[in-house]
Amino acid sequence: MRLPPAILGNAEEVLREILRFMSPADVTLSRYFKDHPRLGGRERGAIAECVYAVLRNKSFFTDFAGAGATMRRLTLLGMAEAIGADSLGGLTEDEVAFLTRIKEIDRSLLPPKKLANLPDWLYDKFVAQYGEEETLALAAVLNTPAPLDLRVNSLKTDRDKVIAELATAPIAAEPTPYSALGLRIWKKPALQNLPLFKEGAIEVQDEGSQVLAQLLGARRGEMVVDFCAGAGGKTLAIGAIMRSTGRLYAFDVSEKRLTKLKPRLARSGLSNVHPVVIAHERDAKVKRLAGKIDRVLVDAPCSGMGTLRRNPDVKWRQQLEGIAELTEKQASILDGASRLVKFGGRLVYATCSLLDEENDGIVQGFLASHPDFELVPMHKVLAEQRIPLEMGDYLKMLPHKHGTDGFFAAVLERKAAPAKPVADESDDAAEQ
């Protein structure tokens, strides 16, 4: 069944706005659909897939659309990539010929940089880190849609029961390899209508993010802080690991983001989570807890280069100059959060970036200026948490190797307090 020709006009209209890169693509799409309530589910799906296809293939599409690289041609290429040219109605003979010509191009013969569909600065950084061959393997996966990962709420059910209940929907779900509570779905069903979702038995969360929450090693009854909680995905996972005991603070500078946590928290059944809006990493609310917290997670604001499967616009919106600003902020946040950690406590620094300067570089700089902390090798932490991953000192999850978003994490521990010196009795006697 072909889509009505008018849908191409809708897609072209929203694509023009998105390619200005003034706001995230998903935000712009959501606003556009709200302003056009007559668009049905099938039409909305096609428009969204068209937009994301253009964002993933922007470099290739722009080059091969030629001198006529108009918004119409980019829209046609996006739609053809997303749903197939045969599903498009109202095309002219020239447009059909254009799509046929583009389809016949053997993309494997493109120069590596064009094949990667990455901005020049990002491609060069990846090649410097990974080499050209692995960069192309990474880029190939980053330029495909991500599956949908779920986390099973262990306070309410278990993974086998969820698989069985989803199958009655019918939704096929398979266990994820690294998270014992993770499920992977290759289609995009409307989960919000399922009883499992409404009752808080499942949450949407990438498997890599689930692993990060587990690395914290939170235990029942402890004092724990999720320092950059956002909408609270990892907060909820940590709370379930703690079995809703102890005290779990969800800190964030954005009240709007924390507001999104409230309905999720209500569904989860957790009673130990305390959302707190802070002004910055040195807020008085943070200082009051200095040296009192058992475990702190810092999932720092970052470039998001590990999430390009879900957010392909990020690679075009982010600029090289912005990375330096981010690393300065990351170092400051990690320093501020570290003050919360008690002697012998654990601090986990994490990002969803693939860039060394946001990851290894931040941790090494922190350790150099904080001799009271030491790195816990990641392979040791993974064994402790029974996570079947092979890593060195750091966690580095890569989309083309692990099937997750790109994630980095380092586990740090504050050294035990130095023992107080014991007075020498012979010295006391001599003084008498």
Side-chain angles (χ1 to χ4, degrees):
M1 183 178 173
R2 290 191 172 191
L3 284 168
I7 297 304
L8 279 169
N10 290 113
E12 183 179 344
E13 185 180 4
V14 71
L15 183 62
R16 179 176 284 104
E17 185 176 351
I18 284 171
L19 291 182
R20 293 190 182 106
F21 299 117
M22 301 300 289
S23 63
D26 59 345
V27 173
T28 304
L29 271 171
S30 179
R31 186 171 62 243
Y32 185 83
F33 291 149
K34 188 176 180 180
D35 292 342
H36 295 76
R38 292 187 178 181
L39 289 170
R42 181 167 176 254
E43 288 80 7
R44 290 178 183 219
I47 292 168
E49 290 303 319
C50 166
V51 165
Y52 283 109
V54 172
L55 291 169
R56 291 189 182 99
N57 297 280
K58 179 173 168 285
S59 179
F60 168 73
F61 283 177
T62 303
D63 280 0
F64 282 84
T70 60
M71 202 59 62
R72 170 76 176 186
R73 281 197 163 188
L74 288 177
T75 305
L76 287 171
L77 289 169
M79 277 291 186
E81 182 88 5
I83 64 172
D86 293 342
S87 298
L88 302 176
L91 302 186
T92 67
E93 287 185 13
D94 285 347
E95 288 173 338
V96 171
F98 164 70
L99 290 176
T100 302
R101 187 169 70 251
I102 298 297
K103 188 178 180 181
E104 290 172 352
I105 294 172
D106 184 350
R107 298 193 198 185
S108 66
L109 301 177
L110 295 174
K113 193 171 283 191
K114 292 298 178 188
L115 191 61
N117 263 299
L118 297 170
D120 288 352
W121 72 267
L122 184 58
Y123 178 83
D124 292 341
K125 277 191 171 293
F126 281 171
V127 170
Q129 281 184 212
Y130 302 112
E132 185 176 274
E133 185 177 348
E134 188 162 1
T135 293
L136 290 176
L138 171 61
V141 175
L142 286 175
N143 288 320
T144 60
L148 180 67
D149 286 359
L150 307 177
R151 177 182 60 82
V152 174
N153 183 353
S154 58
L155 293 180
K156 298 202 168 190
T157 186
D158 61 49
R159 188 156 68 171
D160 289 340
K161 289 177 182 175
V162 171
I163 291 174
E165 192 164 338
L166 286 173
T168 65
I171 297 170
E174 59 189 47
T176 53
Y178 311 119
S179 168
L181 295 172
L183 289 173
R184 183 156 294 152
I185 297 171
W186 292 97
K187 294 184 179 180
K188 304 289 175 70
L191 292 175
Q192 65 272 17
N193 298 323
L194 297 178
L196 279 170
F197 183 82
K198 292 177 180 178
E199 295 162 7
I202 54 173
E203 274 286 340
V204 175
Q205 186 177 30
D206 185 81
E207 183 188 20
S209 183
Q210 296 178 43
V211 169
L212 289 188
Q214 204 172 335
L215 295 179
L216 199 59
R219 297 171 183 157
R220 297 185 185 205
E222 289 186 330
M223 294 262 284
V224 178
V225 170
D226 184 356
F227 202 78
C228 305
K234 282 178 279 295
T235 307
L236 298 176
I238 295 165
I241 291 170
M242 296 170 70
R243 307 305 294 175
S244 200
T245 64
R247 199 166 182 86
L248 173 55
Y249 292 98
F251 285 170
D252 204 274
V253 295
S254 170
E255 185 173 4
K256 185 178 180 181
R257 283 197 293 265
L258 282 179
T259 299
K260 294 180 181 178
L261 168 59
K262 290 181 180 177
R264 303 174 76 186
L265 186 56
R267 290 195 303 267
S268 72
L270 293 171
S271 58
N272 65 335
V273 177
H274 302 271
V276 179
V277 179
I278 57 174
H280 44 71
E281 59 269 21
R282 311 214 182 276
D283 192 304
K285 297 170 189 172
V286 177
K287 289 182 179 179
R288 280 199 291 270
L289 295 171
K292 298 177 181 177
I293 305 300
D294 295 287
R295 297 168 197 270
V296 178
L297 172 63
V298 178
D299 184 12
C302 69
S303 65
M305 291 306 161
T307 69
L308 296 185
R309 295 186 305 168
R310 303 177 197 281
N311 307 301
D313 57 312
V314 167
K315 62 185 175 184
W316 308 115
R317 286 196 295 115
Q318 183 63 258
Q319 301 296 320
L320 176 60
E321 300 75 31
I323 302 299
E325 293 177 21
L326 280 169
T327 55
E328 187 177 334
K329 181 186 292 186
Q330 289 156 354
S332 179
I333 289 172
L334 182 57
D335 174 68
S338 71
R339 302 176 189 209
L340 293 169
V341 184
K342 63 169 37 173
F343 290 115
R346 177 171 289 190
L347 172 64
V348 175
Y349 173 78
T351 75
C352 53
S353 175
L354 298 169
L355 300 177
D356 283 347
E357 55 261 59
E358 296 184 80
N359 298 333
D360 315 46
I362 297 296
V363 174
Q364 289 160 12
F366 175 82
L367 289 170
S369 59
H370 294 75
D372 52 332
F373 280 85
E374 59 187 353
L375 182 74
V376 182
M378 188 57 63
H379 60 83
K380 179 180 176 182
V381 180
L382 292 169
E384 162 201 302
Q385 295 299 322
R386 299 179 182 177
I387 301 171
L389 273 166
E390 292 185 11
M391 295 284 165
D393 285 342
Y394 303 117
L395 179 83
K396 294 187 177 184
M397 300 190 80
L398 299 168
H400 66 300
K401 288 186 175 180
H402 304 107
T404 64
D405 285 350
F407 281 103
F408 169 89
V411 175
L412 309 162
E413 284 188 0
R414 192 171 189 189
K415 298 173 185 176
K420 292 181 180 178
V422 179
D424 192 319
E425 291 181 5
S426 61
D427 290 345
D428 293 342
E431 288 175 4
Q432 293 173 3

